Structures are given as C-alpha cells and as structure tokens.
Amino acid sequence: MALLRHTTDDVVERQALTVNPAKTCQPIGAMYAALGIHRCLPHSHGSQGCCSYHRSTLSRHYKEPAMAATSSFTEGSSVFGGQANLLQGLNTIFSVYKPDVVAVHTTCLSETIGDDIPQIADAAVAKGFVPEGKRVIHCNTPSYVGSHTTGFANMTKAMVDYFSTSTTDEKIDGQVNIIPGWVEPADMSEIKRLVKLMGLDGITFPDTSGVLDAPLKSEYNMYPDGGTTIDQLESTGDSAGTIALGPICSGPAAEALKNKCQVPQETLPLPIGLRATDIFIQALRKYNGGEVPAEITAERGRLVDLVSDMSQYFYGKTVALWGDPDQLVSLTQFLVDLDMRPKYIVTGTPGKAFLRRIGEVLGDSVKEVIAKQGPQADMLYLHQLIKREKVDLLIGNTYGKYISRDEDIPLLRHGFPIIDRIGHQYFPTTGYRGAMRLCEKILDAFLDRQDRDSPEESFELTM
Amino acid sequence: MSTERINTPDLNTPSEPFVVEALTAEQIKEELTRQYPSKVKRKRDKQIVLNEKKKDESGSLTLPVINANTRTSPGIITQRGCTYAGCKGVIMGPTRDIINITHGPIGCGYYSWLTRRNQTKPPTEEHDNYIPYSFSTDMQDENIIFGGEKKLKAAIKEAYEMFHPKAIAVFATCPVGLIGDDVHQACREMKRELVDCNVFAFSCEGYKGVSQSAGHHIANNGVFQNMVGNQTKEPKGKFKINLLGEYNIGGDAFVLEEMFEKCGITLLSTFSGNSTVEQFEQAHWAELNCVMCHRSINYVADMIEKKYGAPWIKVNFIGAKATAKSLRKIAEFFNDPDLTERVENFITAEYPAVLKAQAEILPRTEGKRAMLFVGGSRAHSYQELFSEIGMKTIAAGYEFAHRDDYEGRKVLPDIKVDADSRNIEELTVERDEELYREPKTNADLESLKNRDFFENYKGMMADMGEKAMIIDDVSHHEAEKLIEMCQPDIFCAGIKEKYAVQKLGVPCKQLHSYDYGGPYAGFQGAIQFYSDIDRMVNSKVKDMIKAPWE
C-alpha cells in the first residue's frame, strides 16, 4: 500500500499550504551552532516545547545527548514579557550546570513579544547571576523568517559579534578562520584535517566534533572535550583571513568579521565533491605559500580513479534532491561532474540566490532541471514531480524514505535530519575522502538495486 | 470449556525501604537540590517526595502530598514539552483521516511529523491516511505583522481541494494567540463554505498551561464538542466499550483490538490510537469506557458519563497480570456468563507463554533496580511489567501528571488550579435528553459501586515501595545525580535523556518510543518487554567500556 496514498501527479499551484516541508525553523540551527562552542549551554528563550523538540531532533540525528535550557514561558510571561524567566533561568543555569557560555536564541514567541535579550543579559550581570568570567551571548532567531539554516547562520554570526577581537593591526600569518557551515561533526574534523595538512593554523567555528560524537566512558560530561574555545573565538579577529564554507550558513559571520575586525573573507561552496574541494584547497594555498602536500594530491587522485572506475554506472542517471541550499549546490555540482543528471532540486529555505547558484552549477543543462525554493518548495511538490517522471536516485534526509518506498527509488541519506540510521556523523562527506564515500554509497544503492531486480540469467558475480 | 481462573502470581512486591549504599533517601533528596538557588530549591523540595505511607486513625492509607502540575523553573533543563505537543502531537495526531493543519511557523508541524510512533492501519488502499503528511501554514513575518487568518483560510481551502478529507483540524501555535488570529471563527467560516467537511480548531498555543497536559485537556474538549455524538445511529455489537487513552505506540492498540475481538467485546472507538473520525462520532454509544492513560483522557471519560451516561473504569493493559485483571474487570461489569467464559478462555490460552517467559528471564533480572521518568502515565503502568520479572522500581516520576495521578483521585477536591492553568477551559456538560442512557443498574453493579469499581484511579504512589523516591518534572541535574548515587540497572525516560544516561554506563529504555520496538501491551507485549529488558540489563556493552590499559 502506498504510504503517501493521497499524493497524485497533479501539480496544483499552492499559495498558503505547506505539505511535508523541506526545512524546519531557525532555533534548532542556533542550538546546533551553539553546541559547537566549548563548554557552552544553548538556551531557548521561549516556551519549553520548542526546546524539547529541537533537542529531541538533534538527539535522534546524532544518537547523542543534545543539552539546552529554556525560559519555559507561561501565559503570563507571554503577555508581560520573558525578562523574569530569563533572569531566573540564567541564575539556575550558572548555579547548577556551570557552563562558560550561555548562548541564548529566541523563538517565534519571544520575537513576537519583542523581548530585548541584551538588556536582560545585562540585568542578569548586574544582579550577580552571571559569575565572573562567564559569558551570555545571544542571537535573534524568529521562526517565521528563513529556516533552520538561517538560525545556524545567526548564531555563528553572534560568535563574531560577541567574541572576535582585533588586538593588533598585524594579522597572524598562517592563522585562518574556517567557518565550516552546517555539516556533520566528522565533516568539521575532515575540514580541520585538510587545513592542518596544508600546514595552517586554523580556527574552526562552530565546531561540533568531539561534542556530538563523544565517546562512552561511564561518566557523563555535559561539556565534552570538543567545541571552539572562547580564546580561539576571540583570536578570530587577528587571523589573516576567513574562509566561509557555504554562503547561507557561514556567509553572514564572515562578513561580520570582516566589518568588525577587518579580516578579509572568501565565501566558498561547501567542500562536498571534487570541484568544491579543489576550490577550498586553492583558497588555503593563498595562506601557506601555495604548497599542497603530496598526501592531499594523492587523495584527490584516488577520488578521480574511483570516479573513473565507477563511471559506467553513474552516466546519465537522474536524481531528485532536497535539503539545505549550501549542500544542494555542491551536491548538484558533484553529480554533474559524475555525469549524472540532477532533475528536481527543492529547498524549503527561501532565497532567490539559490536558484542563481544552481543555474551557475548546471550551466547548459539547466533547462532540463526543475529547481524551486521557499514555503511551497516542499516534499509534496517534489513527490508530484517524481510521479510525473521518475528518477533513478533520491538524495536527502530521512523523510524521503516514504517517497523511496512508494516509488521504489533508492534513497541516499544526506543532510539533516537522518533519524533512521546510526553512525553517519562519524563519516565525512566533505573533502576528497568524503567524496569517495559519497561515490561508494551511490554505487552501492544502484548495484543493490540491480542485484535485487536482475533476472536469474543475468545476475552477475562481478560488477 | 473450562472457566477455571488461571493463577496470575505476584512475583515481587516492592516493599523494602529505599536505601542506597549508606545514603538514606533523605540524604539523596537533599543532594539533588543542594545546588539550586534558594527559591528554586524551595519549589523543588515540594516536587521531590519520599513515598512514606501511613495509616490514619480510620486505618486507611495516607500518602505524602506532592506538588505537581505547576510551572517549570526556567533554566533547570526539564523534560517537558508544550500544550501544542499535548494536543496535536499526542491526542489528535494518531487519527488517520483528519487533516491536521498547524497554524504557525514551520517548526511545530515539522517536529510533530511522524515522530510519535502512533501506528495506523487503514483497512484498504481506498481509506484515508494522512498520518505520513505534515500540513502547515508556514507563517512568514508578514503573517505575524498583518495577521494569518487569511492564509489559514486559504490553506484550509487548498487542503480541501487537494484531498477532500472528512475533517480538517487547525492547531494554534505560540504566535497565533499573541497576534490575535481567531482560528475558531476562521474554521466556522470554512466549515460553512466547504459544506461536507468538518472544520474545527484548537487553541493550543505552546505557552498555555505549564506542560503537554493543558494540550490534552484542550484536545479532549475539542473532540467532545466537535465529534463525539455526531453518529446518531446505534452501531451493532454486544458489550460495547471505548478504550480511552491508548495511542497505539509501536502497535499496542493492534494487540488490544485483537484481544477484544477474541473475547467478543465490541470496541467502538479508541482515543486515539489507530482511530478514525467515525469512531469518535459513535463513541457515545459505548456502555463502558475503559481508561488506560488517565492523565490525557479522563476529561472525555467524565464528559461522556455526564452527557450520555456510560460510566468509566481504570484499566491497565501494560503487564500480563494487569491485563488479566483489567479484562476480568470488563467482564465483571457486563456480568454475562458467555463473556466471562470467553475472557477466561483467552487468559488461559495466552498466560502459559507469559509464565514460561517469566521463568526463563527471571534468574537474569531478579533483584535489579529500575527508575522510571515518563510522561503522565507510563511511569506507573510499566512498574507492573518490571515487577513481573522480579525488578524493583526505586524511583519514579512524571513530566506533567497532576496530583491525582500520583496520589489517587481521592485528592481531586483538594487540588487548587493555579494561575498558570486557570485559563484552560472547563466545559460545562449537561445530560443529553435524547441520547442519555442510564448505566446498567443491576444489583451486582450497586455492589461494584460500593467497592470503588468505577472512576477510581489510585495513583502511582500507592503501588510503590516505602521511601521510593517520587520526583515530579525531574530535571537533568536531578536525574544525573540520582543515577550517580543509586546506580540503577535501567533508567526509563525519553530521547532527550537516553544518551546522557547511557554515557553514564546505565542502559536507558525509552518508554515513549519504545526504542522503535514494541508492542508492549497485552500478553504478547509483556513477553516482548521482558525480552527487551533482559537484553538491556544484561548487555555485554558495559563490560567493554573500560579500555584494558586504563
């Protein structure tokens, strides 16, 4: 029986109704970004349902604890403002949970009310609720603007607003800020590994590696070893440059850092796939004198070798993708490089720049592609397109499994959230190694399907 | 056929005092709240109690008073969710043929999309099933500034034109109340316009009340006003019941549906696991309401009794012994020899497998200790399952239950509704002169009434051991301390707690999602649960945690 039995191939224009969204709301992105600061407790200034939902989703994705506190608004605070709640909340948080930083984000509730977070944080300091040397930072994350990626960008920018300091006119040679964007902890590790191999001193922020992939040790450390430290965040103002990976998630912080501390910045695509990784490595060369170690060149060569070996299975295959703009642009580029054909691309995250970027990546083949952004660019729409004309592969988050089953199309899980598989955060999809993993997963999906569907006489031992 | 009653033995009665490695319960309690600011400590002290049972002069049991259903302390790291989650996520979500539209920004609809495992099974491909869908008005900033009613009405219309559902329900989220959108008026207008679609709304803004609980109440009111009673023709069948407060997590309701069918009991509706609009509309024809989750659905049970006459009883189909007891209770109500025989035959057929599983697992689980911190019902009901495999519950609590769930319904007259929950509407329900039917009043029932047969929920504390720790709205800090001090063999909670608990080397069983397993209801479910707990408390993982060089 079809799971999505009410979905037909009749694409009716909608103005008001979103069905099966390809996005979620801002605060979860801010919470994820804040977990990338060492010894930081995210705090959701709103009613507590948001905070529970966001923590639950992060835990379902990572199979890890995702800690955050909330102001727990009641009807009274919704009318009179949430100042008392946040003050009491900060007092309890610093008394009991002892973080170094509390990173406050807002919800549609406190945004509609118009609570002034910096003013409340100052009052908390004045009342002695914030111990010496501890920090409260904030960003505004109204859920009715943008998407979860916007929230991630806003909290990442807050790290610059609150911490980045320019102490000298001389920038530190070889110190580069890397803003990795919304990727898995393993991706952040992989990006750091590449920067280190290039001989550079990188400050990566936010950095959830070591936080949302913590070891099991019979003790629970609410603040695991990972996360960008306050010292590092402050030092970003003295770096020789900033490389922002992904304009949506990382661009605003890089721009803010340029304005605040005159750190030059370059906003690049997320380094998913060969060409985007090439661009990243080329950018790093500007800071290390141009050297690329043999190890990286060999990794790249292995990827090209793999692509060459797999080419016959990839050529001409059609793909439907959904997810977040920064990831979709790089994935689309990679698929094109693999001689595959991205056919439908949707993101719930609004912003027309996305369509321009997708157009640039697709070049001449853009005419055959349907790409859409915004509230009605949802998974119902995507499914309707697929019903009209099928594709060979789906790439996106867990919610795609319903379409995958109904239409019998293999699904490559990528992006956020992946809540029905375990272990994905340990394996990067960025860099040349990540690209190799993507290739392996795509080919596995195709060949598993071929093995399943082959008649007995053409069931192959060697493929 | 034999109607001899099968023995359902008590394997363990948790009665020993709660003492852990030289620390008394009092000392543990003190340690849990020591670090809080004084105002927070004072409040938490009333929400953490030791289960000291006393007999009063008349010889009846008295329990300690617990503070419950009060506001959450900001910043404390609560397990709790919101009113929207209680209304849309819990009660209304499981019904497959209503299109549930979340009126708000995208998050609320997104996070409640398929994340609770309330399964549903439409009989054929042609029957509606909207459960795999998430519908939202996806409010943007201009809707906050200029109001969202117009967009809501357009969204209802679009949903109707695309899907032609029997019913559309609208759920308000936090900003909706603040900007003053009148969701009820919008729904009334759309109901008139669409003619053959029942359209209604729930004012379940997340900030209402103090937890999911307010959302339950709002959902109960909405279902009762908009659906119950709409079917005027009496459905067929003997021994007609409703099962209230069963949400078919992991297929629990499927097990119970089959059980009722085998016993010859007609299940008119389940609130709301595997349910349909039609079931709600005919619910008032039941002769008896059986309440599983007291917290979420006792309002409907009371309202049906007042308006239509059918009484309700508390049942528990979690635990083999409890299942047998609850089935017999239903049979006792109908007092029909044929039904009694079928119930006894069913128990006789099913119970031997339960006893066999218990006997096999007991040596590996006996004496082990559990802690349960779950929602508003399961922290109590699952204690039965643990005791059936010889495990003791040493600490338990609810996220959002009220005092009656802890101390029993006898304290209802003493409960004061505080300012945070005062705005949750209490419906005034009157007898329906046409449809009201006097409950069965034979002589036996009179005696049942005298024996507390009806409307009696004794609460969790009465069943728990002396000085067991009872904690309402447990915080992360308290849970972590409690585990460190008491080292339980298993901790039961939800997804937010699971991985932190497991980092401490203690297995955490999710009793909301069942860790994607189940069912756990009925006899087959009990066997499944024993096996899952055996696997968890005896897993090899804990022997691997320490590296050989450490």
Side-chain angles (χ1 to χ4, degrees), chain B residues 226-236 240 268 277-286 307-308 432-437:
Chain B
N226 293 296
M227 286 187 281
V228 174
N230 289 2
Q231 168 63 264
T232 47
K233 197 166 146 252
E234 179 164 6
K236 290 196 191 79
K240 290 197 270 283
L268 288 188
V277 171
E278 188 188 6
Q279 286 185 22
F280 290 136
E281 291 185 337
Q282 67 182 14
H284 61 294
W285 288 105
K307 189 166 178 181
Y308 303 107
D432 184 313
E433 293 308 336
E434 224 164 289
L435 294 169
Y436 186 89
R437 289 175 305 168

Side-chain angles (χ1 to χ4, degrees), chain B residues 31-229:
Chain B
E31 184 61 24
L32 295 185
T33 58
R34 198 171 45 79
Q35 282 174 279
Y36 289 132
S38 54
K39 190 175 150 195
V40 177
K41 181 174 165 30
R42 275 199 302 280
K43 182 168 188 298
R44 293 303 301 155
D45 275 338
K46 290 185 243 161
Q47 289 176 277
I48 305 175
V49 303
L50 309 175
N51 198 33
E52 291 170 309
K53 301 176 190 176
K54 297 198 175 87
K55 291 256 166 76
D56 66 11
E57 287 138 24
S58 66
S60 63
L61 192 71
T62 65
L63 296 165
V65 174
I66 190 164
N67 194 19
N69 191 36
T70 53
R71 66 171 66 172
T72 311
S73 290
I76 201 165
I77 309 194
T78 175
Q79 301 178 306
R80 282 177 171 177
C82 67
T83 304
Y84 166 85
C87 181
K88 193 270 186 182
V90 173
I91 311 255
M92 297 309 296
T95 307
R96 66 171 164 265
D97 54 359
I98 302 178
I99 284 191
N100 290 325
I101 300 179
T102 300
H103 185 39
I106 201 66
C108 310
Y110 188 88
Y111 303 114
S112 57
W113 178 20
L114 288 165
T115 46
R116 278 177 66 82
R117 298 179 61 230
N118 30 248
Q119 302 182 354
T120 199
K121 192 158 49 184
T124 74
E125 181 89 9
E126 275 64 49
H127 284 77
D128 291 347
N129 179 14
Y130 300 108
I131 287 189
Y133 293 86
S134 164
F135 301 90
S136 174
T137 56
D138 195 358
M139 289 174 93
Q140 302 295 306
D141 44 3
E142 66 265 22
N143 307 130
I144 300 293
I145 298 163
F146 302 110
E149 276 176 45
K150 210 172 132 198
K151 189 174 193 184
L152 173 61
K153 284 189 259 183
I156 293 170
K157 192 155 193 212
E158 286 173 7
Y160 177 79
E161 281 169 357
M162 284 176 78
F163 302 106
H164 300 283
K166 294 181 191 73
I168 295 176
V170 169
F171 300 85
T173 60
C174 287
V176 169
L178 297 180
I179 62 173
D181 275 359
D182 188 342
V183 289
H184 301 285
Q185 180 56 28
C187 286
R188 278 192 293 271
E189 281 174 38
M190 291 315 290
K191 187 176 176 174
R192 274 197 298 274
E193 186 180 328
L194 302 178
V195 186
D196 65 344
C197 181
N198 192 0
V199 189
F200 46 92
F202 296 87
S203 289
C204 53
E205 286 87 347
Y207 55 74
K208 290 201 166 159
V210 297
S211 67
Q212 291 93 312
S213 181
H216 301 151
H217 197 160
I218 291 164
N220 277 236
N221 291 350
V223 170
F224 189 75
Q225 287 176 300
N226 293 296
M227 286 187 281
V228 174

Side-chain angles (χ1 to χ4, degrees), chain A residues 292-305 432-433 436:
Chain A
V292 178
E295 198 177 334
I296 291 182
T297 310
E299 273 176 21
R300 185 183 187 282
R302 278 184 208 108
L303 170 61
V304 178
D305 187 67
Y432 301 118
R433 283 186 176 181
M436 289 171 78

Side-chain angles (χ1 to χ4, degrees), chain B residues 283-430:
Chain B
H284 61 294
W285 288 105
E287 295 155 88
L288 177 70
N289 284 304
C290 301
V291 173
M292 282 269 281
C293 171
H294 175 260
R295 181 67 270 134
S296 62
I297 213 82
N298 73 86
Y299 315 96
V300 154
D302 277 340
M303 291 189 286
I304 290 181
E305 180 166 14
K306 272 189 198 140
K307 189 166 178 181
Y308 303 107
W312 65 268
I313 56 171
K314 178 74 179 74
V315 294
N316 181 20
F317 294 109
I318 300 298
K321 202 182 138 202
T323 299
K325 196 174 151 193
S326 295
L327 268 181
R328 283 170 175 155
K329 203 170 172 184
I330 295 170
E332 207 178 341
F333 171 80
F334 287 107
N335 193 27
D336 175 280
D338 180 49
L339 175 64
T340 305
E341 184 180 323
R342 286 180 77 156
V343 163
E344 289 304 327
N345 287 343
F346 180 75
I347 297 169
T348 308
E350 297 273 323
Y351 223 91
V354 172
L355 293 172
K356 184 166 169 277
Q358 285 173 351
E360 193 199 313
I361 284 166
L362 189 72
R364 296 192 292 272
T365 49
E366 187 158 30
K368 291 193 187 291
R369 301 172 318 153
M371 293 182 176
L372 289 79
F373 291 95
V374 200
S377 175
R378 293 191 178 110
H380 182 196
S381 54
Y382 274 74
Q383 294 185 23
E384 295 244 12
L385 275 168
F386 279 115
S387 87
E388 288 176 351
I389 47 172
M391 290 178 64
K392 292 179 181 28
T393 302
I394 58 171
Y398 297 120
E399 279 173 54
F400 50 74
H402 301 195
R403 276 185 63 201
D404 42 323
D405 304 290
Y406 286 102
E407 301 171 50
R409 284 179 68 91
K410 66 176 187 297
V411 302
L412 277 174
D414 305 333
I415 296 178
K416 289 184 188 69
V417 179
D418 72 10
D420 292 325
S421 300
R422 201 162 292 146
N423 287 345
I424 309 304
E425 191 187 8
E426 284 280 351
L427 294 185
T428 316
V429 178
E430 277 163 20

